[in-house]
Amino acid sequence: MNAKGKAFRYGDNVDTDVIIPARYLNTSDAKELASHCMEDIDGTFVKNVQQGDLIVAERNFGCGSSREHAPLAIKTAGVSCVIAASFARIFYRNSINIGLPILECPEAVQGIDSGDIVSVEFSTGTITNETTGKSWAAEPFPPFIQEMIAADGLINYLRKGVKA
Amino acid sequence: MSMTMSQKILAAHAQVDEVRPGQLIMADLDLVLGNDITSPVAIKEFAKFGIDSVFDKSKVALVPDHFTPNKDIKAAHQCKMLREFATDMEIENYFEIGQMGIEHALLPEQGLVDAGDLIIGADSHTCTYGALGAFSTGVGSTDMAAAMATGKAWFKVPSALRFNLTGKFSPWVSGKDLILHIIGMIGVDGALYKSMEFTGVGVASLTIDDRFTVCNMAIEAGAKNGIFPVDEVALAYLADHCKRKPVVFQADADAEYDHTYEIDLSKLRPTVSFPHLPDNTRTIDEIGEVKIDQVVIGSCTNGRISDLRVAAKILDGKKVDPRVRTIVFPATQEIYLQAMDEGLLRIFVKAGAVVSTPTCGPCLGGHMGILAEGERAVATTNRNFVGRMGHVESEVYLASPAVAAASALTGYISNPETIEEN
């Protein structure tokens, strides 16, 4: 699986309240949540994002609430991968559990500007800024998590285990 | 190999003699929690297992506390999903309006948390129960679904930061000031992926409510969990609330910590987090003139009886500034009743504050106290992110119940030390 698209660039501590404000959490409908994705930090995100685009952010992306609605909104909005210098731990866990690819790579984050075309090769963790030609290697996931991603999330991973 | 308190609890629940930081384990859970926002997603995921019962009907707790009493039709639908699931699965710990409270105040009060427990909750403030010597941490809805089905969760064993406490608080300084001070010191990702373990001779002077507040906001430093040793204060609380026998784990004397911070409680000042991150702290002496429109006293962080007592002590016989909407939220029905019996609710109403039914409502900008553009609130809650309590251009200042009550009287963020008691 690979990803390629335009980068939407954000700073430190993008919290789950700005990814999906609580005023929209009276639903669990993924499409409705996606229609408000990033609304309180970037009012034009939903209008501009296209299937396959990437979010690139600095430290502690997804801090705050445990709302899985946040990675769900990002995934359903069409984002193919989030690259950050670091992730808040519940967001990290939730993304893996629902099958939203995320990569930690501080060096890549410094080398990507808003609007750059970025590609990601998940099998190797290679991130390439197609606009500048620079490449970086992200830290690969531990095997346990790779298996979970390959199974398309935690529930399928566990169901396989139950059947086996 | 030596272990921290948190690592020992994880090892015991993974049925292994020892664990080391970074190790991935599958562990047995003592309790799985969800609320009216996170559970509907979990219920949909749970259905994918195609099973007709949860792993243990007594070990799942469902608490409709966020948008309740139902704030609109969509919220009502989500609560209905929760209620029907609880009925179908014969969940023993479902708390309907009338019995419910804010989950992290309610569960310990109802005796569902014991020392040595391993607890996950689909709410980030699940880390609160470390006050009683449990390992508890927030997760998302899919983890909750998997845990309801299997009774297990995967964990990456955390390393730890140690906070060695000495001394005692000055008057009007509380657990809230301690945790805001710590977050200001280490930052909102200062404890990312780690445990925060509180130790030292100063622990004994902290009330159990102070400890709940401190552990509650461990997540605001990015931590996986916060935890206190189980001492006489914790054991006394557990004896009053929990029927199970406490299982006391202690960190090894030579346990390794990534860093040890020394904190003298007597040197702490009332502390306020300015917008828009909890680590943007200033002491009360560095505030300047900040005019406010609303005060919120309550939440899973500071809605317990001791918090209400402090606020009432400051408000007793006085009037809040007529321009300041002052909203008090006892965290559970039991706290509400206790505040009524102690005459605290009368003090609040006479002072011109309103008293609400327990709800998370305003803390996350849900309902019951939303801010308009340009408005400012002092809140005893836990987050002051952009738009957290309402409009994207509103502001939240996090503080203790003492600072919040003092500010309600003056209309500006105020030092409780300057308010004369009646």
Side-chain angles (χ1 to χ4, degrees):
Chain A
M1 201 170 82
N2 296 318
K4 187 174 177 182
K6 196 170 66 175
F8 287 76
R9 186 73 164 73
Y10 302 102
D12 286 336
N13 305 313
V14 173
D15 63 75
T16 53
D17 276 83
V18 294
I19 295 172
I20 181 72
R23 58 184 177 274
Y24 302 120
L25 296 186
N26 55 3
T27 181
S28 52
D29 180 80
K31 281 187 182 156
E32 197 175 335
L33 292 167
S35 73
H36 299 292
C37 188
M38 309 302 280
E39 189 172 295
D40 282 0
I41 191 175
D42 180 357
T44 62
F45 175 80
V46 169
K47 201 178 72 185
N48 295 332
V49 71
Q50 291 184 354
Q51 191 67 35
D53 286 348
L54 295 90
I55 287 177
V56 179
E58 300 195 19
R59 280 168 45 183
N60 204 26
F61 186 86
C63 63
S65 155
S66 69
R67 59 188 73 160
E68 206 163 286
H69 312 64
L72 195 62
I74 289 173
K75 188 182 177 192
T76 310
V79 171
S80 61
C81 180
V82 183
I83 301 167
S86 64
F87 289 92
R89 60 159 286 275
I90 305 179
F91 184 92
Y92 181 94
R93 208 178 159 99
N94 286 348
S95 299
I96 290 164
N97 283 347
I98 69 160
L100 170 68
I102 59 171
L103 291 172
E104 271 188 358
C105 189
E107 299 79 16
V109 169
Q110 294 319 312
I112 297 172
D113 286 326
S114 220
D116 288 354
I117 301 299
V118 176
S119 65
V120 178
E121 204 177 295
F122 291 117
S123 57
T124 58
T126 306
I127 300 168
T128 305
N129 185 335
E130 303 281 351
T131 305
T132 64
K134 280 188 185 161
S135 279
W136 303 270
E139 187 76 18
F141 287 116
F144 169 72
I145 290 176
Q146 282 183 26
E147 282 171 39
M148 213 187 300
I149 292 171
D152 196 25
L154 176 66
I155 300 287
N156 289 328
Y157 173 78
L158 290 174
R159 285 175 66 196
K160 269 189 182 171
V162 169
K163 281 175 194 162
Chain B
M1 191 191 143
S2 59
M3 288 188 283
T4 66
M5 187 176 171
S6 302
Q7 289 161 0
K8 282 193 176 178
I9 297 174
L10 288 174
H13 286 79
Q15 280 96 37
V16 294
D17 292 335
E18 62 172 44
V19 293
R20 57 186 191 284
Q23 185 180 345
L24 287 158
I25 56 164
M26 196 58 96
D28 293 324
L29 301 167
D30 296 298
L31 188 67
V32 180
L33 163 71
N35 59 50
D36 53 309
I37 288 182
T38 56
S39 301
V41 179
I43 291 166
K44 288 183 194 169
E45 292 298 313
F46 181 85
K48 293 180 185 169
F49 281 100
I51 52 177
D52 55 10
S53 64
V54 298
F55 82 105
D56 186 331
K57 292 182 280 193
S58 68
K59 292 184 176 176
V60 174
L62 299 177
V63 187
D65 59 356
H66 274 59
F67 290 163
T68 54
N70 298 341
K71 81 178 180 101
D72 56 27
I73 294 170
K74 285 181 176 175
H77 175 70
Q78 298 216 106
C79 287
K80 193 176 168 195
M81 270 181 82
L82 199 63
R83 186 178 302 113
E84 288 175 351
F85 180 79
T87 304
D88 291 348
M89 297 290 152
E90 300 171 333
I91 302 291
E92 290 172 20
N93 298 298
Y94 168 74
F95 297 92
E96 191 51 89
I97 306 300
Q99 293 94 47
M100 81 77 166
I102 298 175
E103 50 199 332
H104 308 307
L106 184 71
L107 265 48
E109 178 192 273
Q110 295 294 320
L112 294 176
V113 177
D114 199 1
D117 276 357
L118 177 58
I119 299 173
I120 64 166
D123 187 279
S124 60
H125 294 106
T126 302
C127 50
T128 307
Y129 317 131
L132 297 174
F135 185 108
S136 60
T137 191
V139 297
S141 300
T142 297
D143 274 314
M144 180 194 171
M148 287 197 297
T150 65
K152 294 174 190 289
W154 65 272
F155 296 93
K156 191 172 165 184
V157 176
S159 63
L161 300 177
R162 177 168 54 179
F163 297 87
N164 194 46
L165 311 180
T166 55
K168 286 182 185 176
F169 289 138
S170 312
W172 303 118
V173 175
S174 67
K176 183 60 163 286
D177 302 296
L178 169 60
I179 190 64
L180 292 182
H181 170 78
I182 289 173
I183 297 165
M185 180 170 67
I186 69 174
V188 290
D189 63 352
L192 192 59
Y193 308 132
K194 300 178 198 286
S195 300
M196 295 171 77
E197 300 209 349
F198 301 92
T199 63
V201 293
V203 167
S205 70
L206 298 185
T207 66
I208 201 72
D209 285 358
D210 280 325
R211 301 178 197 189
F212 281 128
T213 303
V214 169
C215 287
N216 174 273
M217 289 190 72
I219 178 69
E220 260 52 75
K224 187 165 203 149
N225 69 311
I227 198 162
F228 275 88
V230 181
D231 64 1
E232 286 173 14
V233 173
L235 288 172
Y237 182 94
L238 288 166
D240 283 347
H241 294 85
C242 184
K243 287 183 187 144
R244 290 180 288 143
K245 195 169 171 270
V247 183
V248 180
F249 291 90
Q250 283 179 307
D252 288 319
D254 58 348
E256 285 180 19
Y257 299 92
D258 292 349
H259 192 77
T260 296
Y261 296 89
E262 299 290 340
I263 297 176
D264 181 349
L265 300 175
S266 68
K267 292 197 174 141
L268 296 182
R269 299 286 297 147
T271 300
V272 177
S273 288
F274 274 48
H276 287 287
L277 282 174
D279 65 9
N280 189 16
T281 55
R282 296 186 198 179
T283 68
I284 198 75
D285 313 303
E286 308 162 325
I287 297 287
E289 194 176 281
V290 182
K291 199 176 171 191
I292 56 166
D293 305 284
Q294 180 166 297
V295 166
V296 172
I297 298 172
S299 82
C300 61
T301 312
N302 279 123
R304 296 182 182 80
I305 192 69
S306 56
D307 300 315
L308 303 185
R309 284 181 189 142
V310 167
K313 199 172 174 188
I314 289 170
L315 296 174
D316 191 8
K318 300 192 180 72
K319 292 280 184 198
V320 303
D321 184 300
R323 295 175 305 99
V324 177
R325 300 150 352 227
T326 305
I327 312 172
V328 182
F329 294 80
T332 67
Q333 291 288 85
E334 199 166 304
I335 294 167
Y336 195 106
L337 203 56
Q338 198 174 349
M340 191 187 290
D341 290 344
E342 292 182 15
L344 309 183
L345 302 189
R346 183 177 173 81
I347 290 171
F348 295 138
V349 175
K350 292 291 273 183
V354 294
V355 181
S356 161
T357 181
T359 176
C360 306
C363 172
L364 74 162
H367 65 156
M368 298 293 289
I370 305 300
L371 299 174
E373 182 177 2
E375 288 191 331
R376 291 190 183 127
V378 173
T380 68
T381 56
N382 42 56
R383 292 196 177 122
N384 56 353
F385 298 151
V386 168
R388 173 75 177 177
M389 200 175 273
H391 193 277
V392 68
E393 284 177 29
S394 61
E395 293 182 347
V396 177
Y397 295 73
L398 303 176
S400 68
V403 169
S407 305
L409 292 174
T410 61
Y412 294 85
I413 300 181
S414 294
N415 184 349
E417 293 163 348
T418 64
I419 306 289
E420 281 185 30
E421 281 179 60
N422 278 345

